[in-house]
Amino acid sequence: MDFTPPRKAAHAASDREQSPSRAGDRFANVVETAMDAIVTVDGQQRIVVFNPAAEQTFGYARAEVLGKPLDMLIPARLRTAHRRHVASFGATGVTSRRMGSQQVLVALRSDGSEFPIEASISQYVDGDQKLFTAILRDVSERVRNEARLERSEAQLRAILDSAMDAIITVDARQRVSFYNDAAETMFGWSRAEVDGKPLSMLIPERFRTAHGTHVERFGATGTTSRRMGGTLRVVTGLRRNGDEFPIDASISQIETSGERFYTVILRDVTARFEAIEALRKSKEELQQLGAAAHLTREQEKSRIARELHDELGQSLTMLQMDVAWSKDKAPQDDAVLRARLERMTSLLKSTIAATRRIASDLRPLMLDDLGLVPSIEWLVDNFTQRTGIACELTVAAAPLEVSQPQASAIFRIVQESLTNIAKHAQASHADVVIEQDEGTLVVRVEDNGVGFVLSGPRKPNSLGLYGLHERAALLGGEATIVSSPGQGTMVEARLPLVDPTVAA
């Protein structure tokens, strides 16, 4: 059947005679101008219509295919199945339908190359014969694009599955749509077990409501991505066996095809937390060990200071008394003996003074006998007498109830600060303040000296500032040092107040 427009009749016919002709012309024009290939075959599956779009698609001229079997347009391996399909379709009586289970078939060009087509088939009866018409569309480009997309998705999947971090994507209802290999390893659930399931199955029950709200709030912000969790950026996950574990997580969102998806990248930080906990315990143990060593050292200093003061001091005093008795009994005319006794008296006085100074430096006995405040008062007075630098002491009006370790630390902090002022500050005035502030004992020593650069290099074997920090840390407190050139220096230690009877 060739849809070539019929020649005009020599004589005009009636309108009723021209109407079918005009309809045929219009149908022929539609077929001829269609962008899709249109091929019609008869009951023996021989080609009777082959429009220009079919010529371009298959590479055959119309004259080359008219009357020929449709098989010439189908790869040899598919011809038998195709004939059966058309015959089966003809027997159904259905007017039209798509061809192919996936709506994509394979056709054969004139040059022998195969290409994918999308086809629909219809049937109608013309006189005494049945005709089948196929409308075909070359979908090579679409198939290539789909193949590229499939390869790209496969590559992306391979990349995401090879990632060491767990990657999970959920839809707007927070149901899992992507779950990589690392997530399987992390949570213990297989991909098939979580696909389409709520994300809450991977979160401890007590956090589920808050987590769902967090994701919804994040979606409303429009922010592309951000870290999850609080200050430590850590959330808690739930393994299949019920174990909870810490996760470092980030979340991102994307909207595609009108649907919003959230992707979280998760890292199991159990090892990091275990290391932090081990470090914390080790630090606590070291702090306890240091505090014990510090207490032992102070006790040993106290013992030595008391022995120096009591035993050696008493012995030197007795020796001084013996020398004085010898001076009284020595002959007046023996100048050599009397001169030697005078030297002995002078040496004994300086030795006794040195012994008292050494004992006091080790640990002033008044710290144990009289308490903290009198000891600090003595320390400040002694500093002013030795250096000539005016020093003012201010102590809180409320009674200071401190433990022995705290008293020792406060005394040493003030002592070390005043020693640094005497050595380096070139100051004319200093202030020492001891006060209480909301359950904290505050010790502050300030001077109006030359100051220094805190970030500057430390002098060799200079451990004074480090010692201040260490003493405060051993008692659970902290020390702060503020200084700048020409602005003096301020040392402040803040120690938690504790029950002295318990701390002792």
Side-chain angles (χ1 to χ4, degrees):
M1 181 181 293
D2 187 0
F3 287 102
T4 303
R7 298 176 181 177
K8 290 184 178 180
H11 302 283
S14 66
D15 289 343
R16 286 179 298 177
E17 291 174 339
Q18 289 180 1
S19 180
S21 176
R22 286 197 299 270
D25 289 344
R26 287 195 297 270
F27 178 65
N29 288 334
V30 169
V31 172
E32 291 295 307
T33 60
M35 296 183 66
D36 290 335
I38 299 177
V39 180
T40 300
V41 298
D42 58 19
Q44 288 73 44
Q45 298 193 30
R46 293 186 180 277
I47 300 172
V48 295
V49 173
F50 198 77
N51 73 341
E55 291 182 318
Q56 184 177 358
T57 299
F58 288 93
Y60 287 106
R62 180 182 298 167
E64 294 178 294
V65 300
L66 287 178
K68 302 290 179 62
L70 183 63
D71 285 353
M72 66 184 297
L73 306 180
I74 302 171
R77 68 185 185 280
L78 304 175
R79 290 171 185 171
T80 302
H82 185 271
R83 282 194 296 269
R84 284 200 303 265
H85 170 77
V86 175
S88 174
F89 171 67
T92 64
V94 177
T95 305
S96 62
R97 74 179 183 192
R98 288 280 186 181
M99 297 181 69
S101 59
Q102 300 299 322
Q103 299 183 356
V104 174
L105 304 172
V106 179
L108 184 67
R109 300 188 200 277
S110 61
D111 61 5
S113 62
E114 297 182 4
F115 65 102
I117 59 171
E118 190 175 68
S120 63
I121 186 172
S122 61
Q123 60 179 319
Y124 66 98
V125 178
D126 183 15
D128 58 352
Q129 66 173 337
K130 183 174 288 189
L131 299 177
F132 300 92
T133 297
I135 301 177
L136 314 169
R137 179 171 296 173
D138 185 347
V139 291
S140 299
E141 185 63 27
R142 192 185 80 189
V143 170
R144 281 194 294 269
N145 289 338
E146 289 175 351
R148 283 195 291 267
L149 179 60
E150 187 175 344
R151 286 196 300 271
S152 176
E153 289 178 347
Q155 290 173 352
L156 178 61
R157 180 88 203 196
I159 291 171
L160 296 179
D161 277 338
S162 64
M164 296 183 66
D165 292 337
I167 302 175
I168 302 174
T169 298
V170 298
D171 58 21
R173 295 183 302 162
Q174 299 190 33
R175 296 187 177 274
V176 178
S177 60
F178 179 81
Y179 187 82
N180 72 342
D181 290 349
E184 289 185 330
T185 302
M186 180 180 293
F187 290 94
W189 296 96
S190 69
R191 186 173 297 153
E193 290 175 307
V194 302
D195 189 34
K197 301 292 178 56
L199 181 65
S200 58
M201 67 185 295
L202 307 178
I203 303 169
E205 186 173 355
R206 66 185 183 281
F207 296 131
R208 289 173 184 172
T209 301
H211 183 272
T213 304
H214 170 79
V215 175
E216 290 176 359
R217 194 161 51 241
F218 169 68
T221 64
T223 305
T224 305
S225 60
R226 74 178 181 194
R227 288 281 186 179
M228 298 181 71
T231 306
L232 295 178
R233 296 177 174 177
V234 171
V235 295
T236 303
L238 181 67
R239 301 191 202 275
R240 181 174 185 169
N241 62 6
D243 290 344
E244 296 183 5
F245 63 105
I247 303 172
D248 186 5
S250 64
I251 184 172
S252 62
Q253 61 177 316
I254 186 173
E255 191 166 333
T256 177
S257 301
E259 188 172 1
R260 179 166 293 174
F261 293 91
Y262 302 94
T263 297
V264 288
I265 300 178
L266 313 169
R267 178 171 296 176
D268 186 344
V269 291
T270 301
R272 185 206 304 174
F273 266 58
E274 289 176 349
I276 292 174
E277 181 62 18
L279 181 61
R280 184 190 65 80
K281 289 183 178 179
S282 176
K283 186 175 180 180
E284 286 182 354
E285 291 172 356
L286 286 175
Q287 186 173 350
Q288 293 172 359
L289 181 61
H294 175 73
L295 180 60
T296 301
R297 187 167 57 249
E298 289 295 331
Q299 291 174 342
E300 183 66 12
K301 285 182 178 181
S302 178
R303 183 187 66 79
I304 295 174
R306 192 165 295 278
E307 288 183 357
L308 286 174
H309 182 273
D310 294 344
E311 297 185 18
L312 184 58
Q314 289 177 9
S315 298
L316 289 173
T317 301
M318 292 176 61
L319 184 59
Q320 188 180 35
M321 294 173 61
D322 288 344
V323 171
W325 180 86
S326 298
K327 284 175 61 178
D328 291 339
K329 300 299 182 181
Q332 294 294 328
D333 56 350
D334 193 342
V336 175
L337 178 59
R338 297 190 68 84
R340 186 176 293 276
L341 290 172
E342 286 294 336
R343 286 197 300 273
M344 291 175 64
T345 302
S346 176
L347 182 60
L348 282 170
K349 288 181 179 180
S350 63
T351 302
I352 292 172
T355 301
R356 290 174 177 172
R357 177 179 56 79
I358 293 172
S360 178
D361 288 341
L362 284 171
R363 182 177 178 85
L365 297 180
M366 66 176 64
L367 186 60
D368 297 325
D369 299 336
L370 301 179
L372 176 63
V373 175
S375 300
I376 297 296
E377 291 174 345
W378 171 84
L379 189 62
V380 168
D381 291 341
N382 183 261
F383 168 78
T384 299
Q385 292 175 6
R386 286 189 296 107
T387 63
I389 301 173
C391 186
E392 183 176 349
L393 172 64
T394 303
V395 181
L400 292 177
E401 297 291 337
V402 297
S403 64
Q404 182 181 356
Q406 284 181 321
S408 298
I410 294 169
F411 182 87
R412 294 304 183 190
I413 288 171
V414 174
Q415 185 182 47
E416 185 64 37
S417 299
L418 293 178
T419 299
N420 287 334
I421 293 174
K423 288 182 178 179
H424 311 294
Q426 302 177 29
S428 60
H429 186 271
D431 289 293
V432 178
V433 178
I434 302 176
E435 59 186 1
Q436 297 182 43
D437 180 21
E438 297 181 354
T440 302
L441 184 64
V442 181
V443 182
R444 186 165 51 250
V445 181
E446 296 182 76
D447 67 72
N448 63 350
V450 297
F452 65 97
V453 179
L454 285 171
S455 59
R458 193 176 66 187
K459 295 180 180 179
N461 301 320
S462 178
L463 301 176
L465 297 180
Y466 177 79
L468 295 177
H469 288 289
E470 186 66 19
R471 289 183 188 279
L474 288 175
L475 296 175
E478 60 180 2
T480 304
I481 300 172
V482 179
S483 184
S484 59
Q487 300 298 318
T489 301
M490 187 272 289
V491 175
E492 182 180 273
R494 304 181 72 88
L495 306 175
L497 281 173
V498 295
D499 187 345
T501 59
V502 174

